[in-house]
């Protein structure tokens, strides 16, 4: 395959809430040699104070989200902690066809669906040393109340069981080391074969 008609590849980052997926994605996106474009998901959950609509997510109502489901606008969508999250076809397909590599943060169910639909896809799961550490990070982040944190930690226990389905599992107890490992994985994945 020549570079001209090379399709973009799909990189999926998953992991429990508070593990540092956002930070890791931002660092990977800032490295121009990766030629990565972030797939901005749509969600019905409330915007956090530091988030920007159209940058971190497309924030929308449940009605609008459901309309888009009926219009078949999602590559995949899922309920996480009673809120909808979905990958819009418009965020991915054009880029892949133009040879741009796409990176996306998805929950474990979304990751499975993408793996089934894209041949050139890699799934990377980020994990933390233990649940206590995740709790500490979520409390420090301060974006969810106590009850929401506990709900997210419950989901984390389920997610950890699903990590066996991933191509790679990376421990994020030291950000620099984790990034180094992920960068090697991505570099190898993006090399044209
Ligand atoms: P958060 O509310 O912390 O931003 O995201 C909650 C969970 O939803 C995370 O596991 C995140 O990776 C996942 N997520 C974000 N966007 C999507 C999406 O488009 N589809 C799916 N299936 N999960 C998503």
């Amino acid at each position: 395959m020549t570079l001209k008609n090379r399709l973009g590849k799909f990189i999926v980052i998953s992991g429990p809430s508070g593990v540092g997926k956002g930070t890791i994605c931002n660092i990977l996106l800032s490295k121009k040699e990766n030629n990565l474009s972030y797939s901005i998901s749509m969600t019905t959950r409330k915007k956090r104070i530091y988030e920007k609509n159209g940058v971190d997510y497309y924030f929308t109502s449940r009605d609008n989200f459901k309309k888009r489901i009926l219009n078949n606008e999602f590559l995949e969508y899922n309920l996480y902690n009673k809120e909808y999250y979905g990958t819009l076809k418009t965020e991915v397909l054009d880029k892949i066809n133009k040879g741009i590599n796409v990176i996306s943060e998805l929950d474990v169910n979304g990751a499975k669906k993408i793996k089934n639909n894209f041949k050139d896809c890699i799934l990377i799961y980020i994990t933390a040393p233990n649940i206590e550490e995740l709790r500490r990070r979520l409390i420090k982040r301060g974006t969810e109340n106590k009850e929401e944190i506990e709900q997210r930690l419950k989901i984390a226990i389920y997610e950890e069981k699903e990590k066996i389905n991933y191509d790679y599992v990376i421990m994020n107890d030291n950000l620099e080391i984790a990034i180094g490992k992920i960068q090697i994985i991505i570099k190898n994945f993006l090399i044209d074969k």
Side-chain angles (χ1 to χ4, degrees):
M1 201 183 252
T2 65
L3 256 183
K4 216 173 155 198
N5 62 12
R6 170 195 175 275
L7 292 175
K9 299 185 181 190
F10 208 132
I11 297 161
V12 176
I13 304 285
S14 300
S17 190
V19 80
K21 300 184 291 292
T23 307
I24 288 171
C25 276
N26 285 335
I27 296 171
L28 296 172
L29 283 160
S30 72
K31 296 183 193 284
K32 294 284 168 272
E33 70 270 20
N34 288 334
N35 181 27
L36 292 180
S37 172
Y38 188 61
S39 163
I40 305 167
S41 294
M42 184 164 271
T43 184
T44 59
R45 88 142 157 76
K46 267 200 227 127
K47 192 170 84 61
R48 295 175 189 146
I49 196 136
Y50 58 83
E51 289 178 323
K52 287 199 176 78
N53 189 26
V55 175
D56 300 285
Y57 279 109
Y58 298 110
F59 295 96
T60 194
S61 64
R62 284 180 98 79
D63 276 354
N64 183 272
F65 198 103
K66 285 181 184 168
K67 244 183 244 162
R68 286 170 187 268
I69 295 174
L70 292 176
N71 279 342
N72 201 20
E73 291 181 38
F74 293 105
L75 272 180
E76 63 76 35
Y77 66 90
N78 198 36
L79 270 171
Y80 171 96
N81 205 16
K82 298 186 191 139
E83 299 292 349
Y84 283 103
Y85 294 78
T87 307
L88 290 161
K89 290 180 181 172
T90 50
E91 278 295 307
V92 173
L93 299 182
D94 245 26
K95 292 172 188 167
I96 297 270
N97 285 329
K98 284 183 185 152
I100 299 168
N101 306 309
V102 174
I103 186 163
S104 184
E105 284 174 55
L106 302 179
D107 79 329
V108 291
N109 297 310
K112 234 184 249 173
K113 289 180 203 160
I114 293 295
K115 185 80 178 178
N116 289 336
N117 285 300
F118 286 87
K119 194 172 65 72
D120 253 345
C121 167
I122 195 168
L123 305 186
I124 303 173
Y125 187 92
I126 318 289
T127 189
N130 52 57
I131 288 285
E132 268 320 305
E133 174 60 16
L134 283 176
R135 183 178 284 114
R136 197 187 62 74
R137 291 184 197 180
L138 286 171
I139 291 170
K140 190 171 166 217
R141 188 168 83 183
T143 51
E144 281 81 23
N145 65 33
K146 246 180 154 182
E147 193 188 319
E148 284 163 345
I149 288 176
E150 290 312 312
Q151 275 160 355
R152 281 175 175 256
L153 292 176
K154 256 190 212 159
I155 298 170
I157 294 167
Y158 159 72
E159 290 170 318
E160 284 291 309
K161 288 185 192 144
E162 294 287 312
K163 70 184 176 198
I164 48 163
N165 298 318
Y166 280 69
D167 299 305
Y168 294 93
V169 177
I170 301 293
M171 170 67 70
N172 182 21
D173 53 357
N174 176 311
L175 183 62
E176 216 172 298
I177 294 173
I179 286 286
K181 288 180 181 167
I182 297 167
Q183 192 57 65
I184 293 169
I185 292 166
I186 289 180
K187 203 172 160 197
N188 284 325
F189 174 60
L190 294 181
I191 289 171
D192 270 315
K193 289 177 196 117

